[in-house]
Amino acid sequence: MSGSVFGKIFQVSTFGESHGAALGAIVDGMPAGVKIDREFLNNEMLRRRPGQSAMTTARNESDQVEILSGVLDDVSTGTPIALLIRNADQHSKDYSNIAEIFRPGHADFGYFAKYGIRDVRGGGRSSGRETCARVAAGALAKMFLKTLNVNICAWSSEIAGVKARAFDPEEIERNPARCPDKTAALAMQQAAADARSRGDSVGGIVKCRISGIPAGWGEPVFDKLDARLAYAMLSLGGVKGIEFGDGFAAAGLRGSENNDPMLPGKTFASNHAGGILGGISTGAEIDFTIAVKPTPSISMEQNTVNIRGEAQKITITGRHDPCIVPRIIPVVEAMAAIVLADFALLNRCSKL
Amino acid sequence: MSGSVFGKIFQVSTFGESHGAALGAIVDGMPAGVKIDREFLNNEMLRRRPGQSAMTTARNESDQVEILSGVLDDVSTGTPIALLIRNADQHSKDYSNIAEIFRPGHADFGYFAKYGIRDVRGGGRSSGRETCARVAAGALAKMFLKTLNVNICAWSSEIAGVKARAFDPEEIERNPARCPDKTAALAMQQAAADARSRGDSVGGIVKCRISGIPAGWGEPVFDKLDARLAYAMLSLGGVKGIEFGDGFAAAGLRGSENNDPMLPGKTFASNHAGGILGGISTGAEIDFTIAVKPTPSISMEQNTVNIRGEAQKITITGRHDPCIVPRIIPVVEAMAAIVLADFALLNRCSKL
Amino acid sequence: MSGSVFGKIFQVSTFGESHGAALGAIVDGMPAGVKIDREFLNNEMLRRRPGQSAMTTARNESDQVEILSGVLDDVSTGTPIALLIRNADQHSKDYSNIAEIFRPGHADFGYFAKYGIRDVRGGGRSSGRETCARVAAGALAKMFLKTLNVNICAWSSEIAGVKARAFDPEEIERNPARCPDKTAALAMQQAAADARSRGDSVGGIVKCRISGIPAGWGEPVFDKLDARLAYAMLSLGGVKGIEFGDGFAAAGLRGSENNDPMLPGKTFASNHAGGILGGISTGAEIDFTIAVKPTPSISMEQNTVNIRGEAQKITITGRHDPCIVPRIIPVVEAMAAIVLADFALLNRCSKL
Amino acid sequence: MSGSVFGKIFQVSTFGESHGAALGAIVDGMPAGVKIDREFLNNEMLRRRPGQSAMTTARNESDQVEILSGVLDDVSTGTPIALLIRNADQHSKDYSNIAEIFRPGHADFGYFAKYGIRDVRGGGRSSGRETCARVAAGALAKMFLKTLNVNICAWSSEIAGVKARAFDPEEIERNPARCPDKTAALAMQQAAADARSRGDSVGGIVKCRISGIPAGWGEPVFDKLDARLAYAMLSLGGVKGIEFGDGFAAAGLRGSENNDPMLPGKTFASNHAGGILGGISTGAEIDFTIAVKPTPSISMEQNTVNIRGEAQKITITGRHDPCIVPRIIPVVEAMAAIVLADFALLNRCSKL
């Protein structure tokens, strides 16, 4: 079945494989009248682009986005906005040696079991490359949310076990680790470089903070705001967990500690909840944290099997990020924006 | 908007408030020919029922489920199965004193901001009571999954900071904590009783293990199996986080540690991934863990505001669980079953 | 798959068989703050009720609707509204003789082929009885639309070949034919009585007129207003066709005849289009016409086969409408209201 | 809201305006393993292409379809198939004189009322040009249906009041009218040419016949097979009505005439029903008929208003079909194929 369509009113369909002709998205449901900022769109794509540092792959993906429809004189018309990103640098031959082998940590075996056929060129649809379509669609969602003064900001809070201890928001986009702690950023980069030099990879933790959401967004009972955000975040290939506010730590608190008292003016004395209670925004900042696994593509030799189930050794060559954490950050923001754009519209339907 | 409909093919709509006339669900998409086991259904409802121990509320919810449609001679006919659960023991008057006050840690303020109107009787739709409709629907999903030899089992792995150290699956349903470690279970009960005696509450951690899922379930890219499970679990009011397999710990591993090598016979040497790679089941056991916050309804005095934003003190009386962890377990299993029943059907459409 | 859920924002799920325990619906997406008028709801149910005249079946369906959720102090709360209608008068034994025979003109064979199982009691889910859930849900939609000054009115324009020649809107609900032409109504009743006396049945034509829809409702390109109305109307078992405005006659006009010139004030000099152009409402009255086939349940002997494919004679006894046209009218209005309530909400999302 | 996504499992999203950069579609849900026949795809596009005769516009739309994803070695992989059609021949300046005027019979006014903004270049999204994306998507659906031996064939049965009297299926694609009656085809062409010479246009009637559908496709109660086909057909801009089998004529029949007796072997002695009963296919041929209005773009002077509501005269120049009936035929087939592909997959989920 589908599975590549997301959202109820602000609805995004994506397509594309790592080494196919192109990737892209249709954004259906963008309200008419939103200013389309192409420079912002390009900049979002640049943030996701590989080859930005030694932490990320050296592949050259220019990722120019062409807007094919739905925009007239730089304003959305209300009709679907199609976004096209050509694959320039395909290098399919790099993958010929693994055509019949399942790469550990990848979706190769699952796809083969599911479809009986598999696009072996760079992981095909399961490649992280598919997220460029999400970033493009998310950039449109952000343009809409900007009109509502919603701001979304994500960063690396931990890479390879190195934790950010300081928080300078200006620092985030200044270092390749996208870490708000300049010192930690250097250590993160070093740890990633060390892993790469051993043919290995590292994972990390990303935090995301959303401001400007008024109280009342989110839909009971299944379409809770946190439920949809979790859905969106876990739809990213390398994400293995999510928590809101205090998250797993809340499990060890008492109710009297975890409850956020309300203050006159309808604000909160604390924000253990991460801005969402019962699935509805409280007006406080929304905070969530996700776990990103280490890149499965490593150049160390690994044990695996081929499509006939026979034991094989595999050594993955080619260009791979030793750590995808910095590059997943714009994708996390994009998916959050897509979820929030949807709820912004859904919330218009709550009352008479 | 809706928000109370879940699933694509196996589609569940629920309704009902804590103190309304009834709660229930329509399950649309149950395949024809499934044996409907009413005893099993009743037993699932009993597992969720309050008043099972000192850990849980003393409310008397009989939770008899009436099947209104879609079943003939104890076999599903393929048409919607409606499930009705009457509210017997409503006690609406308990809540009159908090009609204009927002309870800390509850969705009260969000609902009021959203709808401009709020059902104050026991939290209305945001009450945990709505989960009885999920358990009933989930019991049907389990009946279908049983034909595929899928088994779902959840348990308390931590309550009030007390961790399970042993794992005896037979033990889970034998103790009120639903903990597979008999000794830990006693400590958990004690900790919950202590909290209750102070007018406080505690949270915990639930683990869920699913066996019998073949490789290939899940849909790229948004409808990943883990994404939909996360969506389902975070749609439960008290859940603040989820992780699959090693989850947050995977963020600190290296790729060479985290990748699960494949073995001849297409099994795996380890299961850091929790049975899902790239959103598709691998055939290994699916493992996930969720964080449950402490019950927000506590009888200690708390600071809050009323609907006019004025400072208020609130003391919540009435019958509340000092810990919802044991009772959320059948709900977690139910939601997992609903997700899996959907993917079982969706997967029939993958290939020619 | 589902198939019993309709609508995008104003979403209706129905359930129930002709001779099961109950029928009903969940209406999810009703905005908070709508006055719930139980008398109006009951009256809508009465309009659909059988046994109103010699034109309709003598079955006694009291069709009391119980509202189970989503309403507090007679106002919608924004949460799902569940509607329950018990089946009082089931008479299952009437159907035992046809358990293995496919009734001509009914869905019996299709259901059997589809599900391998069939609820033979009165047609089960395929019975016209399922429409009582639609009327109840539609009554809620009408309550919402009333706040927008939308009015929906349907009537019999032809029964058994007898055409209405006059149009007195006050007359419609005064005669059993629901015909705005008093004289034609008598002839229609006579024709239906004649058919019944021969063990036969008759069909007819229903017209529906909707006023109060502003220009701009409907969504390009698939979710055109007329496309969704057609979807809704053809989902009624006995409906075999629909046309908007001039409909089939428009096929014989020239463009210069069929185009409706616009007048100052943005009204139209004519309304060949039936109030919809390119799937979007024009602000003119919406007019559509549907064809209703003669009731397939007739007491004349018919040729058919049984589940083994063997030739059989069948004589359908029991209580059946010789003409369902008058009773389908409130159902047509209900489905139109459900479609329009959805578009009223969707249209809130069109612009920034 | 969306509105440009159609289907449940076999899901099609389209985009594109008449004079934008490109049009296209994403087909999500195509099962893996379907042979992708590019020649067939191109041929379907050619069938829809304008400029085929004096009956159709002289615009030169080459309509080359580029497949961007989801296909490997000419076989579908199960992932979304994106289809891109560049707009080569845009001539935007033709439309500058009508930028502030609403064209009679077009969606101009509705779009303006809805979005407060309007793409005036050739009707934008409301142009019949958007159907080229449907034909491309429908060609993929046909490739899947071919594996199930489903065949879909549509033709002109009436144009400008000229009716087809003979039926030679071989003749349909041989004449510009797509009429199975060679003699009538000539008269149809003459009538269209006459209308064009007067600056006018004509409409017509299209019939569609589908063979190879087994009994059991379609979903009760809302997603009836005929309901979804009606939804699909009325989503075509110029279609004003649809009927199945005997359709409106059935309204004048008696039950004893209209019921189709079943014969040993589970076939039918007649097919008044058009192959669908109670929304489920019977195994007989599916027959439906649609009404197509005359092209609203005519070069005769017409009365209308501008965006300020002031009276205006309008004369539409440019290249327009005097009759769209022949060109809508491949679009009708495409939409039917999209609906049927969806039901083919949905039907896999009916039984245990």
Side-chain angles (χ1 to χ4, degrees):
Chain A
M1 152 157 201
S2 66
S4 290
V5 180
F6 190 84
K8 301 209 158 186
I9 303 268
F10 188 94
Q11 206 164 36
V12 176
S13 303
T14 72
F15 68 89
E17 285 84 39
S18 176
H19 289 64
L23 301 101
I26 301 176
V27 176
D28 194 8
M30 174 69 114
V34 176
K35 180 88 179 61
I36 303 303
D37 183 339
R38 284 163 207 264
E39 192 181 327
F40 176 76
L41 171 58
N42 287 336
N43 195 52
E44 288 291 282
M45 297 307 290
L46 281 175
R47 290 179 68 209
R48 187 206 154 276
R49 199 169 52 92
Q52 301 171 64
S53 75
M55 292 188 79
T56 55
T57 162
R59 283 195 310 275
N60 179 16
E61 299 176 2
S62 64
D63 289 354
Q64 286 293 315
V65 183
E66 189 184 2
I67 298 177
L68 299 173
S69 63
V71 177
L72 188 66
D73 299 335
D74 291 327
V75 173
S76 65
T77 62
T79 59
I81 303 178
L83 304 161
L84 180 69
I85 303 149
R86 291 275 173 191
N87 274 327
D89 179 30
Q90 302 183 14
H91 285 249
S92 289
K93 57 189 169 237
D94 286 356
Y95 296 90
S96 55
N97 66 318
I98 55 164
E100 296 210 329
I101 302 184
F102 302 124
R103 294 170 301 164
H106 279 281
D108 297 0
F109 175 57
Y111 269 65
F112 185 74
K114 182 174 196 65
Y115 296 117
I117 187 176
R118 180 164 69 90
D119 186 342
V120 298
R121 304 166 308 167
R125 182 73 175 148
S126 71
S127 165
R129 175 117 186 90
E130 72 62 31
T131 60
C132 71
R134 307 193 194 211
V135 171
L140 295 179
K142 283 185 173 184
M143 292 172 206
F144 168 43
L145 291 171
K146 195 175 295 179
T147 69
L148 303 170
N149 295 313
V150 171
N151 189 268
I152 303 169
C153 177
W155 65 87
S156 303
S157 76
E158 181 183 323
I159 287 180
V162 180
K163 288 177 169 50
R165 305 283 175 189
F167 185 79
D168 174 4
E170 300 295 314
E171 185 59 33
I172 298 169
E173 291 294 316
R174 275 197 208 125
N175 64 68
R178 287 207 169 93
C179 174
D181 174 344
K182 198 175 182 174
T183 311
L186 287 169
M188 290 171 176
Q189 287 172 260
Q190 188 59 50
D194 289 352
R196 178 205 283 266
S197 68
R198 286 190 307 271
D200 213 342
S201 65
V202 295
I205 305 282
V206 170
K207 284 188 174 290
C208 184
R209 182 173 296 168
I210 302 160
S211 61
I213 307 289
W217 289 19
E219 302 290 324
V221 298
F222 296 121
D223 286 338
K224 290 186 162 74
L225 183 47
D226 37 359
R228 297 289 298 188
L229 284 168
Y231 178 15
M233 295 305 144
L234 269 297
S235 81
L236 296 170
V239 173
K240 297 303 288 183
I242 189 167
E243 55 182 6
F244 291 84
D246 284 8
F248 279 87
L253 298 181
R254 294 178 181 279
S256 56
E257 297 167 318
N258 187 60
N259 284 351
D260 300 307
M262 287 195 78
L263 303 175
K266 299 183 182 169
T267 59
F268 292 84
S270 56
N271 192 13
H272 297 285
I276 303 174
L277 283 173
I280 315 288
S281 62
T282 65
E285 274 185 352
I286 294 174
D287 288 312
F288 64 85
T289 305
I290 61 171
V292 182
K293 73 175 187 180
T295 320
S297 289
I298 56 176
S299 56
M300 294 168 71
E301 189 181 76
Q302 299 178 83
N303 290 315
T304 188
V305 299
N306 62 17
I307 59 174
R308 287 171 299 280
E310 301 157 346
Q312 300 281 319
K313 298 285 182 188
I314 189 170
T315 303
I316 298 172
T317 57
R319 301 148 301 169
H320 299 286
D321 297 279
C323 177
I324 63 163
V325 175
R327 286 182 63 209
I328 210 174
I329 283 168
V331 187
V332 165
E333 291 180 8
M335 289 306 297
I338 289 167
V339 169
L340 291 167
D342 206 20
F343 279 114
L345 295 168
L346 285 167
N347 204 46
R348 294 184 182 183
C349 303
S350 301
K351 285 183 246 186
L352 193 55
Chain B
M1 154 155 201
S2 65
S4 290
V5 180
F6 190 85
K8 301 208 159 187
I9 302 269
F10 189 94
Q11 206 164 35
V12 176
S13 305
T14 72
F15 69 90
E17 284 85 39
S18 176
H19 288 64
L23 300 102
I26 302 176
V27 176
D28 194 9
M30 174 69 114
V34 176
K35 180 87 177 62
I36 302 302
D37 182 340
R38 285 164 205 264
E39 192 181 328
F40 176 75
L41 171 58
N42 287 336
N43 196 53
E44 288 291 283
M45 298 306 290
L46 281 175
R47 289 179 68 210
R48 186 207 153 275
R49 198 169 54 91
Q52 300 171 65
S53 75
M55 292 189 78
T56 57
T57 163
R59 283 194 310 276
N60 179 17
E61 300 175 4
S62 64
D63 290 353
Q64 286 292 316
V65 183
E66 188 184 1
I67 298 177
L68 299 173
S69 63
V71 177
L72 188 66
D73 299 336
D74 291 327
V75 173
S76 64
T77 62
T79 60
I81 302 178
L83 303 161
L84 180 70
I85 303 149
R86 291 276 173 190
N87 274 327
D89 178 28
Q90 301 184 13
H91 285 250
S92 289
K93 58 190 166 231
D94 286 356
Y95 296 89
S96 55
N97 65 318
I98 56 165
E100 296 210 329
I101 302 183
F102 302 123
R103 294 170 300 163
H106 278 282
D108 298 359
F109 175 56
Y111 269 65
F112 186 74
K114 182 175 196 66
Y115 296 117
I117 187 177
R118 181 164 69 90
D119 186 343
V120 298
R121 304 166 307 166
R125 182 73 173 147
S126 72
S127 165
R129 175 119 185 89
E130 67 72 23
T131 60
C132 71
R134 307 193 194 211
V135 171
L140 294 179
K142 283 185 172 185
M143 293 172 205
F144 169 43
L145 291 170
K146 193 175 294 180
T147 68
L148 304 169
N149 294 313
V150 171
N151 189 268
I152 303 170
C153 177
W155 65 86
S156 304
S157 76
E158 182 184 323
I159 287 180
V162 179
K163 289 176 168 49
R165 305 282 175 188
F167 185 80
D168 174 4
E170 300 295 315
E171 184 59 32
I172 298 170
E173 292 292 318
R174 275 196 208 127
N175 64 69
R178 287 210 168 90
C179 173
D181 174 346
K182 197 175 182 174
T183 312
L186 288 169
M188 289 172 177
Q189 288 171 260
Q190 187 59 49
D194 289 352
R196 177 205 284 266
S197 69
R198 285 189 307 273
D200 213 342
S201 65
V202 295
I205 305 281
V206 170
K207 285 187 175 290
C208 184
R209 182 172 295 168
I210 302 160
S211 61
I213 307 289
W217 289 19
E219 303 290 324
V221 298
F222 296 121
D223 286 339
K224 290 186 163 73
L225 183 48
D226 37 0
R228 297 289 298 187
L229 283 167
Y231 178 16
M233 295 305 146
L234 269 296
S235 80
L236 297 170
V239 173
K240 298 303 288 184
I242 190 169
E243 55 182 6
F244 290 84
D246 284 8
F248 279 86
L253 298 181
R254 295 178 180 280
S256 56
E257 296 166 320
N258 187 60
N259 284 351
D260 300 308
M262 288 195 78
L263 302 176
K266 299 184 182 171
T267 59
F268 292 84
S270 56
N271 191 14
H272 297 284
I276 303 174
L277 284 172
I280 314 289
S281 62
T282 65
E285 272 185 354
I286 293 174
D287 288 313
F288 64 85
T289 305
I290 61 170
V292 182
K293 73 175 188 181
T295 320
S297 290
I298 56 176
S299 56
M300 293 168 71
E301 189 183 73
Q302 299 178 85
N303 290 315
T304 188
V305 299
N306 63 18
I307 60 175
R308 288 171 299 279
E310 301 158 346
Q312 300 281 319
K313 299 285 183 188
I314 189 171
T315 302
I316 298 172
T317 55
R319 301 147 301 168
H320 300 285
D321 296 279
C323 178
I324 62 163
V325 176
R327 287 182 63 211
I328 211 174
I329 283 168
V331 187
V332 165
E333 291 180 8
M335 289 306 297
I338 289 168
V339 169
L340 292 166
D342 207 19
F343 279 114
L345 294 169
L346 285 167
N347 203 46
R348 295 184 181 184
C349 303
S350 301
K351 286 183 247 187
L352 193 56
Chain C
M1 155 159 197
S2 65
S4 290
V5 180
F6 190 84
K8 301 209 158 188
I9 303 268
F10 189 95
Q11 205 163 36
V12 176
S13 305
T14 71
F15 69 89
E17 284 84 40
S18 176
H19 288 64
L23 301 100
I26 301 176
V27 176
D28 194 9
M30 173 71 114
V34 177
K35 180 89 178 62
I36 302 303
D37 183 339
R38 284 162 206 266
E39 193 180 327
F40 177 76
L41 171 59
N42 287 336
N43 197 52
E44 288 291 282
M45 297 307 291
L46 282 174
R47 290 178 68 210
R48 187 205 154 277
R49 200 169 53 91
Q52 301 170 62
S53 74
M55 292 188 78
T56 57
T57 161
R59 283 195 310 275
N60 178 17
E61 300 176 3
S62 63
D63 290 352
Q64 286 293 314
V65 183
E66 187 183 1
I67 298 178
L68 298 173
S69 63
V71 177
L72 188 66
D73 298 335
D74 290 327
V75 173
S76 65
T77 62
T79 59
I81 304 178
L83 304 161
L84 181 69
I85 304 149
R86 291 278 171 188
N87 275 327
D89 180 29
Q90 302 184 12
H91 285 249
S92 289
K93 58 190 168 236
D94 287 355
Y95 296 90
S96 55
N97 65 319
I98 56 164
E100 297 209 329
I101 302 183
F102 302 123
R103 295 170 300 164
H106 279 282
D108 297 0
F109 175 55
Y111 270 65
F112 187 74
K114 181 174 197 64
Y115 296 118
I117 187 177
R118 180 164 69 89
D119 187 343
V120 298
R121 303 166 308 166
R125 182 72 175 148
S126 72
S127 164
R129 176 118 184 89
E130 67 72 22
T131 60
C132 71
R134 306 192 194 212
V135 170
L140 295 179
K142 283 185 172 183
M143 292 173 206
F144 168 43
L145 291 170
K146 193 175 296 179
T147 69
L148 304 170
N149 295 313
V150 171
N151 190 269
I152 303 169
C153 178
W155 65 88
S156 303
S157 76
E158 180 182 326
I159 287 180
V162 180
K163 289 176 168 50
R165 305 283 176 189
F167 185 80
D168 174 3
E170 301 295 314
E171 184 59 33
I172 298 170
E173 292 293 318
R174 275 197 209 124
N175 64 68
R178 287 209 167 90
C179 175
D181 174 345
K182 198 175 181 173
T183 312
L186 288 169
M188 290 172 177
Q189 288 171 260
Q190 188 58 50
D194 288 352
R196 178 205 283 267
S197 67
R198 284 190 307 274
D200 213 341
S201 64
V202 296
I205 305 281
V206 171
K207 284 187 174 290
C208 184
R209 181 173 296 168
I210 303 161
S211 61
I213 306 289
W217 289 19
E219 303 289 325
V221 298
F222 296 121
D223 286 338
K224 289 185 163 75
L225 183 48
D226 37 359
R228 297 289 299 189
L229 284 167
Y231 178 15
M233 295 306 146
L234 269 295
S235 80
L236 297 170
V239 174
K240 297 303 287 183
I242 190 167
E243 55 182 6
F244 291 84
D246 284 8
F248 279 86
L253 297 181
R254 294 177 182 280
S256 57
E257 297 166 319
N258 187 60
N259 284 350
D260 300 308
M262 287 195 77
L263 302 175
K266 299 183 181 170
T267 59
F268 293 84
S270 56
N271 191 15
H272 297 285
I276 303 174
L277 283 173
I280 315 288
S281 61
T282 65
E285 274 185 352
I286 294 173
D287 289 313
F288 65 84
T289 305
I290 61 172
V292 182
K293 74 176 187 180
T295 319
S297 289
I298 56 177
S299 57
M300 293 168 71
E301 189 182 76
Q302 299 177 84
N303 290 315
T304 188
V305 300
N306 63 18
I307 60 174
R308 287 170 301 279
E310 301 158 345
Q312 299 282 319
K313 299 284 185 190
I314 188 170
T315 304
I316 298 172
T317 56
R319 302 147 300 168
H320 300 285
D321 297 278
C323 177
I324 62 163
V325 175
R327 286 182 63 210
I328 211 173
I329 282 168
V331 187
V332 165
E333 291 180 8
M335 288 307 295
I338 289 168
V339 169
L340 292 166
D342 207 18
F343 279 114
L345 294 169
L346 286 166
N347 204 46
R348 295 184 182 184
C349 303
S350 300
K351 286 183 245 185
L352 193 55
Chain D
M1 153 156 199
S2 65
S4 290
V5 180
F6 190 85
K8 302 209 158 187
I9 302 267
F10 189 94
Q11 206 164 34
V12 176
S13 305
T14 71
F15 69 90
E17 284 85 39
S18 175
H19 289 63
L23 300 102
I26 302 176
V27 176
D28 195 9
M30 174 71 114
V34 176
K35 182 87 180 61
I36 303 302
D37 182 340
R38 284 163 206 265
E39 192 181 327
F40 176 76
L41 171 58
N42 287 336
N43 196 53
E44 288 291 283
M45 297 307 291
L46 282 175
R47 290 179 67 211
R48 187 206 154 276
R49 199 168 53 91
Q52 301 170 64
S53 74
M55 292 189 78
T56 57
T57 162
R59 282 196 310 276
N60 179 16
E61 300 176 3
S62 64
D63 290 353
Q64 287 292 316
V65 184
E66 187 184 2
I67 297 178
L68 299 173
S69 63
V71 177
L72 188 67
D73 299 336
D74 291 327
V75 173
S76 65
T77 63
T79 61
I81 303 178
L83 304 161
L84 181 69
I85 303 149
R86 291 274 172 191
N87 274 327
D89 179 29
Q90 302 184 14
H91 285 249
S92 289
K93 57 190 168 231
D94 286 355
Y95 296 91
S96 56
N97 65 320
I98 56 164
E100 296 210 330
I101 302 183
F102 303 122
R103 294 170 301 164
H106 279 281
D108 298 359
F109 175 57
Y111 270 65
F112 187 74
K114 181 175 196 64
Y115 296 117
I117 186 177
R118 179 163 71 89
D119 186 343
V120 298
R121 304 166 306 165
R125 183 73 174 147
S126 71
S127 164
R129 175 117 186 89
E130 64 77 20
T131 59
C132 70
R134 306 193 195 212
V135 171
L140 294 180
K142 283 185 172 183
M143 293 173 206
F144 168 44
L145 291 170
K146 193 175 297 180
T147 68
L148 303 170
N149 294 314
V150 171
N151 190 267
I152 303 170
C153 177
W155 65 88
S156 303
S157 76
E158 180 183 324
I159 287 180
V162 179
K163 289 177 168 48
R165 305 283 176 190
F167 185 80
D168 174 3
E170 300 294 315
E171 185 59 34
I172 298 170
E173 292 293 318
R174 276 198 208 124
N175 65 68
R178 288 210 167 91
C179 175
D181 174 345
K182 198 174 181 175
T183 313
L186 288 169
M188 289 172 178
Q189 288 171 259
Q190 188 59 51
D194 289 352
R196 177 204 283 267
S197 68
R198 285 189 308 272
D200 214 342
S201 65
V202 295
I205 305 282
V206 171
K207 284 188 175 289
C208 184
R209 182 173 295 168
I210 301 160
S211 61
I213 307 289
W217 289 18
E219 302 290 325
V221 297
F222 296 120
D223 287 338
K224 290 186 162 74
L225 183 48
D226 38 0
R228 297 288 299 188
L229 284 167
Y231 179 14
M233 295 305 146
L234 270 296
S235 80
L236 297 170
V239 173
K240 298 303 288 183
I242 189 166
E243 56 182 4
F244 290 84
D246 284 7
F248 279 86
L253 297 181
R254 296 178 180 280
S256 56
E257 296 165 320
N258 187 60
N259 284 350
D260 300 308
M262 287 195 78
L263 302 175
K266 299 183 182 170
T267 59
F268 293 85
S270 56
N271 191 12
H272 298 284
I276 303 175
L277 283 173
I280 314 288
S281 62
T282 65
E285 272 185 351
I286 294 173
D287 288 312
F288 64 85
T289 306
I290 61 172
V292 182
K293 73 175 187 179
T295 320
S297 290
I298 56 177
S299 57
M300 295 168 70
E301 190 181 74
Q302 298 179 84
N303 290 314
T304 188
V305 299
N306 62 18
I307 60 175
R308 286 171 299 279
E310 301 157 347
Q312 300 282 319
K313 300 283 183 192
I314 189 170
T315 303
I316 297 171
T317 56
R319 302 147 300 169
H320 300 285
D321 298 278
C323 178
I324 62 163
V325 175
R327 286 183 64 211
I328 210 173
I329 283 167
V331 187
V332 165
E333 291 180 10
M335 288 306 296
I338 289 168
V339 169
L340 292 167
D342 207 19
F343 279 114
L345 293 170
L346 285 166
N347 204 46
R348 295 185 183 183
C349 303
S350 301
K351 285 184 246 185
L352 193 56

